[in-house]
Amino acid sequence: MRSWSPYALLVVAAIALDQVFYPLVEADLPFQEKVDLLPFLALFRTYNTGIAFSMFSSFGDTGLIVISLVVVAFVLFLATRIAPSQILARTGFALIVGGALGNLIDRAVYGHVIDYILFHTPVWSFAVFNLADAFISVGAALVVFDELFGWGREPKARPSKD
């Protein structure tokens, strides 16, 4: 259990950091009005009633909360199946869980997820997202990176055919 302590702390930190912005966004950011910060980055408060680009919004809050809990449980299951030496993957799983739980709290408290970060150019824009979504994306990238480039780890022992 001790080896999971730093990752549990990372989950808690991700949730806390994600949640600290919501009252500020709700109180100070106009709804669906772009506030440019940089030529390619703006704040833009909107609500997401689904999961990832508003998918499954027809499932309702309860359905989406159940789906989120199942996904978190599955990610935790996967996290327990990796070696302690896979630090990048463990960090990635912790970020995914922290981000997913941050969005789950939003959905349970507000009935939707509050998105507020917008990357854009004059002719294109990415979907509006929040800090929890960024944690999930960075976490997934770390897990994939660890799996693809973890070739330096010791190979698993193969059973002999005696």
Side-chain angles (χ1 to χ4, degrees):
M1 178 64 183
R2 189 164 166 5
S3 68
W4 285 104
S5 297
Y7 305 105
L9 288 174
L10 182 56
V11 169
V12 171
I15 293 168
L17 192 56
D18 176 61
Q19 292 298 306
V20 78
F21 283 102
Y22 290 129
L24 301 172
V25 168
E26 281 290 283
D28 298 327
L29 191 61
F31 187 69
Q32 295 190 340
E33 289 182 31
K34 188 168 76 162
V35 177
D36 285 316
L37 301 175
L38 298 170
F40 58 88
L41 177 66
L43 297 177
F44 185 87
R45 178 171 57 115
T46 191
Y47 300 143
N48 183 348
T49 58
I51 295 176
F53 310 108
S54 294
M55 292 188 305
F56 309 119
S57 58
S58 64
F59 283 36
D61 292 340
T62 304
L64 294 176
I65 288 170
V66 169
I67 289 171
S68 297
L69 289 171
V70 168
V71 168
V72 167
F74 181 66
V75 170
L76 288 171
F77 168 76
L78 292 175
T80 63
R81 311 286 294 168
I82 62 173
S85 62
Q86 291 182 264
I87 295 169
L88 279 181
R90 284 183 169 212
T91 301
F93 284 130
L95 288 172
I96 293 168
V97 169
L101 291 175
N103 279 340
L104 186 131
I105 290 167
D106 257 14
R107 188 165 316 286
V109 171
Y110 303 110
H112 52 260
V113 172
I114 303 165
D115 289 335
Y116 53 89
I117 302 170
L118 173 65
F119 280 108
H120 64 89
T121 69
V123 295
W124 171 87
S125 67
F126 188 72
V128 182
F129 61 98
N130 60 34
L131 194 56
D133 298 332
F135 289 144
I136 292 168
S137 298
V138 169
L142 289 174
V143 171
V144 169
F145 184 83
D146 188 69
E147 287 300 316
L148 289 177
F149 300 107
W151 49 266
R153 289 191 297 268
E154 295 178 19
K156 294 181 180 175
R158 294 189 178 151
S160 63
K161 295 185 179 186
D162 294 344

